[in-house]
Structure formats: C-alpha cells, structure tokens
Amino acid sequence: MVRIAYRPDRSHEFGTDDQTGIRSRTRLTGAGPDSFGDGQRRVCLHDGVASMTAMMLVPPRMHITESFIKTLFVPHRKFLRKRVAMFYRPLDGREAVRRARQLRKATGINASSGSDSAFANHAKNLSGKLESELVSGAAMTRFAIEVTVTFEANRKAYREATQQLKQLLDGVGLEWRFVEVGASAAFHSTLPLGILPWQYKTLLQTLAETSN
Amino acid sequence: MGGQQRFRPAHRLLTRTARGYAGKLGGRWGMVPQPPESFSTSVQACGLYPFGAGSYRPVDGAPLGEDLITHTAIATDHEALYRAGHITSPSMYLFGINGVGKSSTAQTLILGMVGRGMAPAIFDPIKGEHVAMARALGSDVWEVGDGAGKDRLNLLSPGPLGAAANRIGGVIGEELLTLALKKAVTLTQLCVDVARGAPSSAMENLVIETIVQTAIDRNPRPATRDLVDVFMHPSERMLAKSGHRDAESFWQRFSGENGLGETLRTLVDGEMGVLLGGTDSIEFTPGNPAGFCFDTSSINESNTKLLSAAMLSTWSLGMDAIDAHWELAQHESRLAEEAQQAGEQYEPAVRWGGYTTLMDEFWYPMRACPGMVDHVDKLSRTNRSKGTAELKVTHSTKDAESLPNEEDRTKARGLAERSGVIGLMALARTDLKELSKVRPLTEKEIDLVAGFSADPGWAGGRIEDALVARSDDGKLPPPPGAGKILLKLPERIGIPVQVRQSPTQRRYHVTDKRYRKQAA
C-alpha cells in the first residue's frame, strides 16, 4: 500500500505480482519514494505524481451513520488514489464524564452571561443530551478526518482533483480546509505508518487549540 | 580535512530525528499539520467505528467488477471458488431475464478462467454471439448447420478420441479407439431416436451397434451414409446378432414404416441428412489450449429434430475433445518424463490446464432436445473428476419447470441444486422465491435482486435520447440492471457485483447488431 501510495502507476504491476505469487522483498523502510518535493504549498510532488490533503474542521451536524462514511470512502474515478484517514481516540469513562461536564459548564456560563438566546439554549440542551447518552451507556470518542488524493502532476489534473475533492467534501456536509503547509507531513500521516499528528503537536499548536 | 568532508556520503551529514532527517535535503518536517479533533458519543457518531471486521471479497478469480455496496473490487469465478475450497463443485448456474447481460457476464467469467490457462468449451445454441470472441481467442470454431458453408457432422467419425488414439498408440490408443466406437454407437442410437421421435427397441439398438461396427470395419474413413449401405448389405455379424439367416429376412424385420432402415435413410437423405449426411465432417485435432466453440445458431429454431441431433452430437464431440485433450496431455507428460530420465529435454506439445464449459441459453437445448438434461446431469456430477468447470446460463427456474417430461424436470431442478454458485441477475420476485427453495435467499437479497432492473426514471426513453447516449462503439445505453449480479454460495451471504466489460470484450460481443443498424 505504501509503495502504491507513492507510485499509483505501478499498482497494476504490484497487483499482478501479488496474484502470481511473486512476493516483494522490499521492507517498509525501503518502500519510500525516489523523490519527494514539498515546495508547492498544498501540493506535494512524488515520483511523477502529485498529492494534496484536506482535513475536517467540523463534523457534519447530524447523526454520523455508515452512509456518511460510505460516500467518503468509496473509490473515486477522478483520482489516481484517494485515502481517507480517520483518527479515532476513544476516551475512558472518567475522561468522557469530565469532558461532558466541562461542556455543560461552558454552555451554562454562556446562558447565564446574558446570551440567553435560542442558540445558547440549544447548546445547553445538547450538552444535557450528551450527558444523558453517557449515563445510558454510550462511550465518548474524539475523532479527526484527513483525506489525501493523488493525481497526475499537471495543471489540468490539479484543477480537476481540486474540484472533485471540494465536491466530495462539501457533499458529505463537513467543514474542511486544505493543508497548505506541511503537505508532505499530512501525506504521510494519512498512510498507515503510525504517524499520529498529536504526538508531534508543538506548544504553539497546543495553545492555538486551547484558545479555540 | 575539508576535502574529506565534501566526499562524505550525504546521510552521514544528516541527523535522524522523530520528524525525519535534519540537515540539508534531509526532508525533516517543520511541523505536522494537526487535524482538529471533535468529540462525540457513540450514539451521535455511530457510523464511526474503525474496528469493524472488513467484509472479505474474493480476489483470485476472473476480474468481474466491483461490489455494489462497498465498491470493493471483486475477482472471482466458480473454478477459483472451488480451488479455494469454498464450494464443492466447480459449477455455476446463471439466471436472469432478457437483456441484463447474462452472456456478457458469462464471457467475463470465461475470459478470466482462460487467462489462468483453462481452455474454453463453448456451446452457443441460438445466437452465435460467442463466435467472435472464440475466434479471437484462437479456439476451434464449428458453425454447425444445414446451410452452405456450414460444418457438418459425421456420426461414424472416431472424432477427437480417435485422433488422440492415433497419436498415442499402444494399449492406451487401443482403449481410446474402443471408447470412440462406443461413443459413435451411442450417438447413432440417440440420433435414430431423435429422427423417429420415439425410443428404439433393445433389438434395434443392438442392430445399430453392429451396423456401426461393420461400417467402421469396411471403411477406413466411415461416414454417416455408410449406415444405409451397411443396412442394405448386412454383414454376417449383423445377421448373427439379430438372429436372421439371410439378408432378406433381416430387411423384412427392420424395414417397413418407421422401421430402422427407413429411419437410417432419413438420417442421410431427409431433413437431417443436410446436417449428418455429408462426406465432409468436423475433424477435431484435440489439444488446442484455446479450446473450441460450437455454434448451432444457423439451424432454424422450428426444426427441433435437426437441432436436437446437432446439439447431442456437438455435446458428445465436445466432451470427447476434453477427454482426448486430457489423454494427450498425459501422454506428452510421460514423454517428457522419459526424456528427463534419459537426460534429454522434451517440451510437451499438449498441456492440461483444465476446461471451462459455457452452455449459453441453456433453456433452449433443455427444451428442444430430450435427453440433453441427462447428459448435462451426468457432467454436473462428474465435473470435478473431469477437470471441467461448467457454467450454465438460463432465464429462470420456470425453464426447468416447463420441460415436457417429469424425468427431465426433476433432473433439471437437481442441476441448480448441485451448482456450486448460483448467479442471480435481474429476476422476478416469484422466480426468486422459487429459487430460494433451492438456495435459501434472505428477504434483503430477494429485494436487492428484484430491484436490479428498476428503472430510476424515464429519461433516455426517446429514441433521440438513446442515439445521443450511444457509446463510441455504437452500443445503446445499457438497460437498468445491466451487469448487476448477486453471487450466491451455499450458506453464505450473497455478493452483489456490478460486472464491468472491458473495451475489447465489448468489441467482440455484439448481441443487438440489427438494433444498432436501425439506430445508426
């Protein structure tokens, strides 16, 4: 999978080898690209093709069912490769309750500080619902989604890929943005190599997240 | 010192860190983008559960297409499933209403197996739609019929078994010749039954056997018309076996209205004579790795006697060709072993990769040819030992139910029961309920298959729209449900597949030539 991620044009060859029982002796550490360029902002160039990554900012405001995932995960003809990485971090029970209380407190403060609007009440109701679900036995998780698409390294393919990716992400109803800096790091974090973004969080990023 | 540093390998100048190699051209990331994390309960984000067991899809058979639900690539066929131990017999029964791509799907399956080294054995009864593909593969194509330029059949030909016997020689060759003679006798008996429209008596069958034997003894290249000559000049053996002292009493016993002599003449000179009475006949050279294809589409559908004779004969020839191929491959393999023991090298001229049979429009031979079900029934019980994967294509279970006699009906039902895989293309709900008795289907599966042919709208209904929507090869847009198939293995959830045709396959498979001409 890692080799095909860098060289999708060789997927047929790798597939045929697999079918005919030819086992690759390439180790994971040797499966890297011959070249990798990260100087084009959102687009990174590797082995003659290009990739870009988008990340989810806000999940869809609805029940996230399997049909939501299906739309996102099905193969797409317009891309040489599309990879959806879902970071799924379940919280233990105590942490879940702490988070729920924190949320209720925050919405309560908003409501009592004069912003007693329908929106504030709605948020308060949601926090109540969250607690009630936890009491009923639900688990809490934090999650993040990144989508990497690979396309041919030319302007036409870039325009098409951008358009298609926008349509795809808008279609599933989530808020998102392109990764404009560190595209190569984003590319690798969507590969199953164990690169977990939060392990590389800088102090500045932690502060930015806390302020959000 | 400085010079030494200039020639030091690049990686020695780099320092390994958690974010990559630090140093010039090391590629270390300045930062890793942080996707914002959202919090949710398992109630709200019930669809996000990454630990689900992925549904496995077979990927070591014919490249069929993609899963209709998960869009996973699917590559499978009955032979691959049998090899993998998922089914007990390498066979598939494909059901579907008209025009949903049964034949195309069958071709995709066959081509996949051919790609793995199996030889195709195609029986194309009424449309002749597989001929182009078979020719492209290099198969021996026999267009059997009564028209000019069509291939004719010779009931007395030793056929592929005889050809193999000549090449092999020795004891095995003798055994094969004996088998070829038996096959010629059986085929002649069957054709006599078909021509007469009633089964022959035991004595008549015995006489036919001796007539065939005598014809082969008298003529090094016997033809069907020798049957009549031998009947008119009976041998001592014929007289002895039938208990007659002279030819006169023999003729008296077996001539007369609807007698054996009259029936044999109809085989040579009657309406069947144009198919069976020629001196030229199909001469098989067994061992072609590209297999063979019998096309009987030129025979008029109303001429059931001719069709029955053609189908019985081609079926018999085909099965003999498979057996002959096996024997030749075994013989060549022995030669190679002997050469190796003698320190020499011998490349076998014939190899065995197995056969994959396709009986398209199977409802037709079943209905038109009494006894055909019996032949196929025998094969369906022995296909494993014959090394043959078999694929039968028909419309619905009603085809079996509408057979004229009970024996054939029962056997035809058994064919579906014994099939390793049942392929369900668009079908009526009643048919699916009926099939569910043979291979249990869940309500969801029935709903899914019954909905295959549901048209989402009326767009494209006008001929102008259809013309605009035509693809480059002139093909009209596919009807709803085209290529959708549910593969049902015993006691497993069905695999719904959207079959994809390759452009090459599309070029060689044209089933609506007249319609395209009309639309052009």
Side-chain angles (χ1 to χ4, degrees), chain B residues 426-444:
Chain B
L427 277 169
R429 201 170 283 274
T430 48
D431 285 332
L432 290 163
K433 295 269 185 199
E434 203 56 41
L435 262 171
S436 196
K437 293 176 188 167
V438 176
R439 182 73 45 95
L441 299 166
T442 64
E443 281 302 319
K444 275 204 164 186

Side-chain angles (χ1 to χ4, degrees), chain B residues 332-346:
Chain B
E332 291 288 325
S333 175
R334 281 192 294 272
L335 291 181
E337 271 177 37
E338 284 167 15
Q340 195 181 15
Q341 281 168 6
E344 294 167 6
Q345 269 201 328
Y346 178 78

Side-chain angles (χ1 to χ4, degrees), chain B residues 79-110:
Chain B
E79 201 270 341
L81 290 167
Y82 171 69
R83 251 189 308 108
H86 297 310
I87 51 176
T88 55
S89 131
S91 55
M92 184 190 282
Y93 214 138
L94 190 55
F95 294 94
I97 57 173
N98 288 349
V100 292
K102 293 191 298 299
S103 298
S104 303
T105 303
Q107 279 196 355
T108 308
L109 287 161
I110 295 290

Side-chain angles (χ1 to χ4, degrees), chain A residues 19 64 69 133 139 141 143 197, chain B residues 34 38 40-42 44 47 59:
Chain A
Q19 285 281 305
I64 301 174
I69 299 195
E133 282 170 2
T141 183
F143 64 96
Chain B
Q34 297 293 315
S38 304
S40 180
T41 65
S42 50
Q44 298 296 319
V59 287

Side-chain angles (χ1 to χ4, degrees), chain B residues 175-229:
Chain B
E175 284 173 4
L176 285 176
L177 274 179
T178 310
L179 188 62
L181 173 67
K182 275 187 188 168
K183 294 280 182 115
V185 170
T186 310
L187 188 57
T188 310
Q189 288 167 342
L190 282 169
C191 286
V192 165
D193 291 353
V194 169
R196 185 187 282 165
S200 304
S201 67
M203 177 52 75
E204 284 174 324
N205 278 333
L206 179 64
V207 172
I208 292 169
E209 186 183 331
T210 52
I211 290 176
V212 172
Q213 181 70 62
T214 306
I216 290 171
D217 288 346
R218 285 181 186 171
N219 195 337
R221 288 180 63 84
T224 312
R225 60 177 55 254
D226 291 336
L227 292 171
V228 177
D229 293 339

Side-chain angles (χ1 to χ4, degrees), chain B residues 313-395:
Chain B
S313 308
T314 53
W315 180 256
S316 176
L317 264 176
M319 292 302 116
D320 287 356
I322 293 173
D323 287 341
H325 192 144
W326 166 254
E327 293 297 343
L328 277 174
Q330 291 290 96
H331 173 66
E332 291 288 325
S333 175
R334 281 192 294 272
L335 291 181
E337 271 177 37
E338 284 167 15
Q340 195 181 15
Q341 281 168 6
E344 294 167 6
Q345 269 201 328
Y346 178 78
E347 186 62 30
V350 178
R351 290 177 185 275
W352 176 257
Y355 268 80
T356 173
T357 64
L358 166 61
M359 283 159 268
D360 205 351
E361 306 286 355
F362 186 59
W363 60 272
Y364 193 74
M366 267 203 305
R367 199 179 296 174
C369 179
M372 180 53 87
V373 176
D374 199 37
H375 283 276
V376 181
D377 182 53
K378 278 178 195 157
L379 176 68
S380 74
R381 293 167 197 271
T382 58
N383 49 23
R384 281 175 303 163
S385 55
K386 277 187 171 290
T388 305
E390 51 162 319
L391 171 60
K392 294 180 284 290
V393 182
T394 194
H395 290 143

Side-chain angles (χ1 to χ4, degrees), chain B residues 213-342:
Chain B
Q213 181 70 62
T214 306
I216 290 171
D217 288 346
R218 285 181 186 171
N219 195 337
R221 288 180 63 84
T224 312
R225 60 177 55 254
D226 291 336
L227 292 171
V228 177
D229 293 339
V230 172
F231 183 82
M232 295 310 294
H233 304 95
S235 64
E236 287 299 318
R237 183 196 293 174
M238 286 165 62
L239 296 174
K241 289 264 183 182
S242 61
H244 293 91
R245 275 175 298 179
D246 52 32
E248 200 67 41
S249 61
F250 177 82
W251 292 330
Q252 271 187 356
R253 165 72 175 81
F254 295 106
S255 293
E257 193 179 345
N258 222 13
L260 184 59
E262 194 175 274
T263 310
L264 288 177
R265 266 190 286 278
T266 61
L267 286 184
V268 177
D269 293 320
E271 59 179 1
M272 292 175 78
V274 285
L275 179 71
L276 304 172
T279 47
D280 295 331
S281 66
I282 289 172
E283 291 299 340
F284 242 106
T285 308
N288 183 356
F292 56 85
C293 169
F294 285 109
D295 167 27
T296 48
S297 60
S298 66
I299 301 173
N300 194 311
E301 291 178 29
S302 62
N303 198 338
T304 51
K305 281 187 178 179
L306 203 58
L307 260 174
S308 297
M311 283 175 191
L312 283 169
S313 308
T314 53
W315 180 256
S316 176
L317 264 176
M319 292 302 116
D320 287 356
I322 293 173
D323 287 341
H325 192 144
W326 166 254
E327 293 297 343
L328 277 174
Q330 291 290 96
H331 173 66
E332 291 288 325
S333 175
R334 281 192 294 272
L335 291 181
E337 271 177 37
E338 284 167 15
Q340 195 181 15
Q341 281 168 6

